[in-house]
Amino acid sequence: MEDSPNKEELRIGVYICHCGSNIAGVIPPAEVAEWASHLPGVVRATDTLYACADSGQSLIKEDIKKYNLNRVVVSACSVRMHETTFRGAVSEAGLNPFLMEMANIREQCTWAHGHDKEGALRKAKELTAAAVAKAHFLAPLEFITVPVTKRAMVVGGGVAGISAALDLADQGIDTILVEKEPTIGGVMAQLNKTFPTMDCSI
Amino acid sequence: MVDAARHPKIDVRTYTNVERVEGYVGNFKVQLREKARLVDVDRCNGCGECAKVCPIEVPNYFEMNLAPRKAAYVAMSQSVPLKYTIDEEACIHCYKCVEACGPLDAIDFSQEDKVVWEDIGSIVVATGFNHFDPSVIPEYGYGRFPNVITAMEMERLNNSAGPTVGNLIRPGDGKNPQRLAIINCVGSRDKRFNPWCSNFCCMYAIKNAVLLKQANPEMEISIYYIDIRTPSKGYEEFYERARGMGIHFIQGRPSLITQDDNTGNLFVHSEDVALGRVIEKEYDMVMLNQAAVPQPDVDTVSSVLNISQSPGGWFMEYHPKLRPVDSPTDGIFLAGACQGQKDIPASVSSGLACASRAGRILHSEEWQIEPIIAQVWEDRCISAQGKQCGLCAKACPYGAITVETGKAAQVTTAKCHGCGGCVAECPHNAITQMHFTDAQILAQIRALLAEKPEEKIFAFRCQWCSYGGADLAGTSHFDYSANERGIRVMCSARMDSDFIYEAFRLGAGAVLYSGCHPQDCHYITGQRVGATRADRLMKAFEKMGMSPGRFRVEWISAAEGDKYSRVINEMQETLNAIGPEKLHEENEMLRPEMEKRARRMYEVPLVTEASDYSDEMRQAMSDMEEPHGS
C-alpha cells in the first residue's frame, strides 16, 4: 500500500503563473508566491510569466534539480488544460508525474472574480495552499499499461464517417463502418451539386 | 461511398445499430444489432425484380417523402451496398417478391436480427445532424401551403436523380415556378427555437439560387436573409457571383407568408432594411432554409457511447480549440455535424482528423491509462473476516469488484475506471482511491477552510461535468462570489459523507455537492450513487436543524457555466440572508453532531497525519495574516 510520505523530507516547489494578463491582470502573482513560500514544506516559490511555455517548464525542471524538489505545485489554469503538460515537465526532470499538483487560479479564480480583486487574491492564495496540502500527501504512481485492439469502428456512414473510415483503412487499420439506414451516404447523398465548386455529391 | 464499400480494410455494416459499448481505450467491446433485411445480402444482386412486383407503396424518406418506394426497396439507385431491404412494417406478406427473385433465392422471411459483439480499439462517432421541422412556425405556413417547401425538398426536386428528374415543379399543381423566395435562418438565430447560426445555410441558399438561375435565367429568385455569412475559402467570391447573376438579396426576416387560395401563389411579408420599409412580394414558391439540429436520438446515442452534450444537444468535445475532435472519453472521437453544425469541408476535415487521432492509439502496441484506481486495505475489509458486506461491489458500475465472504474484496485493475464510488460507500474505510485518497482530500478541505470558514461556499465538483462547468463560468467571465472554494474528485460518487461532515465541522458557511446530470455520467451510474448519498445527507441536515440552502445539491454539466455561477451567487445570497451571527450560532449547535459523524474518517491511514499537517499549515497561514493585517 501507500508509503507514508513523511519518510522523506518534503521539498515542495510552487510556481504561480501570470498567464500574461489573464491572471496577473487581476492579482499580483509575486505576492501569492511570496505568501506560499511560508507554507510548511515549501522550499521554493516563485512567479513565472507563462508556466506552460518553454521558459516556464525549463524553470521548473531546473529547479527540481537545483532545489532537489520532490513535489511541484503549479498555480495556473485548469487541469483540463495543462495537467498533461506539467506532468510531462516534471517527469522529464526525473520526478514521478503524479507528484505534481495544479491549482486552478485562472478559469476558477481570476476569470470569474475580476469584480473582486481582493477576494480573488485571497482565493488564489488558498487554492495554492490546498494544492500544497494535497502535494504533501501525494504518492508516486505508475501509469497502467493496457494492450490495444488494432481495430476501429466508425458509427455513422455520412460524409464525415466515410472520410474517417477511408483514412483509417488506408493506414492499414481494419475498420467497421456502422450505418443505421440500409445505405451509407447520409445527408450528402441526398444533395444535388455542392458549393462552392458545384461538383456532384456522391 | 463506393470507395468505402470496396476498400478491403472496411467492413460496411448497414441497417445496423450500436446497442452497447463497454470497456475503455484500446479495449472497447461493442454490441451491434444488424436488423433483419429479410434479404440475404450475399445472394441479392440488386436487380430490383422484387420491387417491380411489390404491390405496396410507402413514402421514401430519401426523397423527403415526395415520392413513393415499395415495401421491397433500395432508398436510391446508387445505394451502397446495392442490396434490397424488405420493410417488414409495410409488407403484406404476399410473397410476390419471392417468386420474382426466382432461382437467386435471396429473399428470406425467416431472417432475424443478428446481435454480435466486436472488439474495438477506438471509436469514431459520426452520427450527423437532423433538419429543423418548420411546421412549428405557424406564420410560414409549412404543411398548410403546398408550395412552401423545405430546403431538403428543394434538393430532391431540383436533382436529376430525384423524383422529378430535376424538373422543378410546385407540389400544389405541378407547374414550374417562375418566382422563388428563399428564406434563411428558419429555426436558426431565433430565440424561440435555436440560438445558433447553422453555418452552411447561407451558402446553401446561394448554391440553390445559382443552380436554378443557370438552368432557367428568366427565373426571379430572392433570398431573404438576416446576415450573409461566407467566411470560408471561395465562399464570398461565390456570393459575389450570385449577385452578378441577378439574384436578389433582401435583408429582412419575413414575418408572415400568406397564400392566394385561387392561384396557390404566396405573399411574403417582410421588412427590407435597404429600403427602410415593410414590403410584400408575390412568389410562385417559397423555400424555407431549415436550421441544422441534433439528431432526434441524440440522448440514446450519448448514453450508449457515454458522451456528454453541449447546449442544444450537440456532442461535446474535450476542448473546443485544442482538442476539437476528442470526446471526453479517451479513445472515442467526434466527426462531422454530431459535434456541431458543419458544412461538407468541415465535416470531411473533422473525419480525417479523427482518423489521425484514433490512429495514434491504433498504431500503438499498448496505451497508458491513469492509475487513479481503487485499492483495498485487506486488513480492514470485513469480508476477509468472514462477515457479509459487498457494498463496494454494489456501488461499482463496471463489475470491477468481486466479493467472496472469507476473502477481502478484490479490485480488477483493468476494469476499474476510477470513479471512487466504492471508496465512499465502504462503511469500514477499507478502500482507497489512488490520487484521491481521504488524506489528500482532507488536507485540501482543511487548507481551504483554515481562514474565515463561515464566509466560505465549499464546492465539491466532479472532473467531467461540474468542474468543467466551473471552468466555463470562468472562460465566459460570468462573475460569481469569490468566497467559493472548490475541490475536484472524479465523480460525485467519490464525495464521501465524511468530507461533507468535516467541511461543516470546520465551520463552512455552505457546501455545494455537484456533479453531472444523470444521463451524462462518465461512469455509467456513478452519479446515482452520489445522488442517493446526497439525498440522505440532505435529510440528515434538515433533521439536525440546519438552515435550508446551506447544503445544496446541483447537477451541472460542463456546458452550464451560467448555472454554476448562478448557483454560487444564490448560495452567497443565502449566507447573506442568514447573517454571520446566526450562522455562527447554528454552527456551534451543529458542531458536536458533525464532530461525531466526521470522526470515523480518522481511522483511515494517513488521515491523522493530514490533520496534523493541516494544523501546521493553518498556523503558518495565520502567522502571515498578522504582519500584513489584511
Side-chain angles (χ1 to χ4, degrees), chain B residues 271-324:
Chain B
E271 68 173 328
D272 182 329
V273 172
L275 297 177
R277 61 183 168 83
V278 173
I279 55 168
E280 183 190 325
K281 289 186 78 178
E282 185 178 358
Y283 296 96
D284 303 324
M285 195 173 194
V286 172
M287 171 189 129
L288 304 177
N289 210 350
Q290 311 139 276
V293 295
Q295 291 278 33
D297 61 354
V298 65
D299 290 339
T300 316
V301 177
S302 54
S303 82
V304 168
L305 288 156
N306 197 7
I307 345 176
S308 345
Q309 295 173 17
S310 306
W314 307 103
F315 291 144
M316 190 163 192
E317 64 292 322
Y318 189 94
H319 190 282
K321 280 179 282 193
L322 303 176
R323 292 174 68 179

Side-chain angles (χ1 to χ4, degrees), chain A residues 132-178:
Chain A
V132 167
K134 180 166 180 184
H136 198 277
F137 291 89
L138 288 176
L141 299 172
E142 296 304 324
F143 277 101
I144 297 166
T145 304
V146 295
V148 172
T149 306
K150 293 179 179 293
R151 204 154 169 244
M153 179 174 287
V154 177
V155 186
V159 65
I162 292 174
S163 303
L166 282 172
D167 255 35
L168 283 162
D170 284 345
Q171 292 174 43
I173 296 164
D174 287 318
T175 303
I176 299 178
L177 176 59
V178 180

Side-chain angles (χ1 to χ4, degrees), chain B residues 58-280:
Chain B
V58 288
N60 187 356
Y61 78 93
F62 187 84
E63 300 294 359
M64 305 314 292
N65 302 333
L66 292 167
R69 64 162 171 81
K70 297 293 186 66
Y73 74 104
V74 288
M76 58 165 166
S77 54
Q78 286 149 304
S79 286
V80 175
L82 190 60
K83 305 288 178 187
Y84 277 75
T85 303
I86 313 269
D87 177 348
E88 207 177 5
E89 276 179 37
C91 175
I92 54 162
H93 295 261
C94 68
Y95 304 117
K96 285 193 175 148
C97 52
V98 179
E99 209 173 296
C101 191
L104 264 180
D105 195 21
I107 294 171
D108 176 6
F109 276 91
S110 70
Q111 213 177 57
E112 287 182 356
D113 289 4
K114 253 194 284 181
V115 176
V116 290
W117 283 92
E118 299 288 352
D119 290 320
I120 297 293
S122 180
I123 299 171
V124 176
V125 182
T127 48
F129 70 104
N130 194 20
H131 306 283
F132 175 77
D133 173 9
S135 63
V136 301
I137 306 181
E139 62 269 28
Y140 286 173
Y142 178 73
R144 280 188 295 135
F145 305 150
N147 299 327
V148 175
I149 64 165
T150 67
M152 284 308 289
E153 287 165 351
M154 169 64 83
E155 203 61 55
R156 297 314 300 163
L157 288 172
N158 186 32
N159 190 323
S160 54
T164 58
V165 205
N167 176 27
L168 179 64
I169 52 165
R170 308 204 306 177
D173 51 17
K175 287 185 189 158
N176 295 111
Q178 278 306 311
R179 294 166 300 175
L180 171 73
I182 296 177
I183 299 175
N184 277 2
C185 296
V186 175
S188 306
R189 302 180 70 193
D190 184 333
K191 285 184 179 156
R192 294 173 300 171
F193 307 106
N194 304 296
W196 54 77
C197 164
S198 292
N199 179 310
F200 50 75
C201 341
C202 283
M203 282 297 288
Y204 186 77
I206 300 169
K207 176 204 85 166
N208 275 309
V210 166
L211 281 176
L212 290 166
K213 196 81 177 165
Q214 278 172 340
N216 179 2
E218 299 307 310
M219 196 170 188
E220 189 192 309
I221 305 174
S222 302
I223 297 178
Y224 289 81
Y225 68 97
I226 308 177
D227 298 292
I228 290 288
R229 296 184 167 178
T230 55
S232 295
K233 190 170 160 186
Y235 289 11
E236 181 67 14
E237 294 86 332
F238 190 74
Y239 169 42
E240 280 304 317
R241 188 175 142 203
R243 294 186 80 104
M245 290 171 81
I247 293 159
H248 306 299
F249 287 83
I250 299 171
Q251 189 170 22
R253 167 176 246 156
S255 55
L256 183 67
I257 297 172
T258 51
Q259 177 183 259
D260 177 334
D261 293 339
N262 295 322
T263 61
N265 288 351
L266 302 151
F267 294 89
V268 175
H269 303 249
S270 171
E271 68 173 328
D272 182 329
V273 172
L275 297 177
R277 61 183 168 83
V278 173
I279 55 168
E280 183 190 325

